[in-house]
């Protein structure tokens, strides 16, 4: 089947030095860019992270320091990569919480703003968890009837995620072959930021979803404890979370 698209949709996956969104780096990025006419563009490339790859991470994706020592750094490819993603909706597996925020951090370190406003984000893992609650390997077996060869290779995972989404659309009547609907369905919670640190309550008010102020409105906290804003902006939070908080602070100051 062919996805119904109004603009390009990029499926992508990252292999990294670790799982800390703000501190770890990309060592491999693969993407499949699908155009509204059905044309597909596919690429995979390794990246020199500029820091050692921990053995624990190599054990997962099998990429070593030696493998990437002659590859370009993210900074060297950042501009061309940003152009590839420009004007596209985005899909992935656990991408809303990990891949997209980490990619934004990498762009941010290069002085490039990766604007997420106006985009649709489809997280295939969220659809799967709502329906079946399993891993990508199990999802591929369940939906596609095949074993996932080369799991934790960025390209293999990206291709599997793309196949799984198409099978999910065919299997579930609740899913529409429409990017906006898929993005809405694959969102868990009413997040204002991708990491879910700031969410909307049942009255559509932004509230904090973590820590000592969990459940309190952002407006109330910023008014009563202005230093909390500074603490978050200087803390180990994803750039996207900080951007959302900054926008809210500006909105409340008017």
């Amino acid at each position: 089947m062919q996805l119904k698209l109004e603009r390009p949709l990029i499926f992508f996956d990252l292999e990294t030095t670790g799982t800390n969104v703000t501190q770890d780096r990309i060592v491999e990025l693969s993407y499949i860019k699908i155009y509204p006419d059905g044309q597909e563009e596919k690429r995979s490339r390794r990246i020199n992270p500029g820091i050692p790859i921990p053995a624990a991470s190599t054990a997962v994706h099998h990429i070593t320091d030696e493998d990437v020592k002659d590859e370009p750094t993210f900074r060297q490819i950042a501009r061309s990569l940003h152009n590839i993603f420009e004007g596209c909706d985005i899909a992935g597996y656990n991408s809303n919480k990990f891949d997209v925020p980490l990619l934004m951090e990498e762009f941010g370190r290069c002085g490039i703003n990766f604007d997420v406003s106006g985009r649709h984000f489809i997280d295939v893992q969220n659809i799967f968890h709502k329906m079946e609650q399993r891993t990508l390997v199990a999802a591929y077996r369940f939906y596609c009837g095949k074993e996932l060869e080369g799991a934790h290779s960025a390209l293999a995972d990206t291709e599997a995620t793309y196949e799984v989404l198409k099978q999910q659309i065919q299997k579930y009547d609740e899913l529409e072959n429409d990017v906006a609907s898929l993005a809405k369905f694959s969102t868990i919670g009413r997040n204002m930021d991708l990491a879910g640190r700031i969410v909307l309550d049942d009255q559509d008010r932004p509230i904090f979803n973590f820590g000592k102020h969990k459940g309190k409105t952002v407006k109330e906290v910023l008014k009563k404890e202005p230093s909390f804003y500074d603490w978050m902006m200087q803390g180990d939070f994803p750039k996207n979370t900080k951007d959302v908080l900054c926008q809210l602070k500006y909105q409340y100051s008017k």
Side-chain angles (χ1 to χ4, degrees):
M1 65 166 293
Q2 181 175 320
L3 296 178
K4 296 178 181 177
L5 308 177
E6 295 184 358
R7 58 184 172 186
L9 174 65
I10 287 188
F11 287 80
F12 84 106
D13 185 71
L14 305 177
E15 301 302 337
T16 64
T17 59
T19 58
N20 187 309
V21 167
T22 61
Q23 297 180 12
D24 279 302
R25 302 291 192 271
I26 299 170
V27 298
E28 186 175 51
L29 184 150
S30 295
Y31 70 86
I32 302 173
K33 186 172 184 178
I34 301 97
Y35 293 86
D37 63 2
Q39 176 187 347
E40 297 180 11
E41 173 187 314
K42 183 187 305 184
R43 185 165 187 192
S44 181
R45 76 171 308 154
R46 289 183 174 176
I47 299 168
N48 186 333
I51 61 174
I53 303 173
S57 297
T58 295
V60 174
H61 50 55
H62 308 297
I63 301 172
T64 67
D65 292 333
E66 182 67 20
D67 292 331
V68 297
K69 67 181 180 64
D70 296 324
E71 299 293 342
T73 64
F74 188 89
R75 183 176 295 276
Q76 290 174 313
I77 66 169
R79 184 58 62 183
S80 61
L81 189 61
H82 185 270
N83 291 339
I84 290 169
F85 277 77
E86 186 69 20
C88 299
D89 293 319
I90 295 175
Y93 198 87
N94 193 33
S95 49
N96 285 359
K97 286 189 175 180
F98 182 72
D99 300 82
V100 173
L102 197 151
L103 183 62
M104 292 178 69
E105 293 293 324
E106 289 276 33
F107 277 125
R109 281 187 283 269
C110 300
I112 298 174
N113 178 37
F114 186 69
D115 188 6
V116 298
S117 61
R119 298 179 190 256
H120 293 300
F121 293 87
I122 301 174
D123 194 322
V124 173
Q125 184 188 62
N126 289 346
I127 295 175
F128 186 41
H129 283 180
K130 284 185 175 182
M131 296 298 189
E132 307 295 343
Q133 300 185 353
R134 301 188 184 180
T135 64
L136 177 57
V137 173
Y140 193 66
R141 182 187 303 122
F142 182 87
Y143 289 109
C144 304
K146 297 180 284 186
E147 294 299 321
L148 177 53
E149 301 293 336
H152 297 300
S153 155
L155 183 57
D157 288 355
T158 301
E159 291 176 328
T161 300
Y162 178 30
E163 287 187 52
V164 166
L165 177 61
K166 291 190 289 184
Q167 291 297 322
Q168 286 175 329
I169 294 171
Q170 291 185 318
K171 181 177 178 64
Y172 302 114
D173 292 337
E174 303 99 303
L175 299 182
E176 299 179 30
N177 190 349
D178 172 79
V179 169
S181 298
L182 290 168
K184 181 177 181 180
F185 190 91
S186 67
T187 299
I188 293 179
R190 305 180 67 204
N191 297 356
M192 292 198 69
D193 66 320
L194 292 168
R197 298 291 192 177
I198 302 173
V199 301
L200 294 175
D201 66 8
D202 56 7
Q203 298 178 52
D204 291 333
R205 299 177 303 180
I207 63 173
F208 287 111
N209 194 36
F210 73 99
K212 66 178 183 178
H213 291 309
K214 184 173 182 178
K216 297 180 182 178
T217 65
V218 174
K219 186 174 185 179
E220 173 191 5
V221 172
L222 295 185
K223 180 179 180 181
K224 294 183 177 179
E225 190 180 337
S227 62
F228 191 71
Y229 172 84
D230 296 327
W231 174 77
M232 283 194 65
M233 296 304 287
Q234 296 169 14
D236 192 20
F237 292 94
K239 181 178 182 301
N240 173 245
T241 300
K242 294 178 180 179
D243 288 345
V244 170
L245 183 60
C246 183
Q247 290 167 4
L248 289 172
K249 184 176 186 292
Y250 175 74
Q251 176 183 326
Y252 297 147
S253 68
K254 290 183 178 180

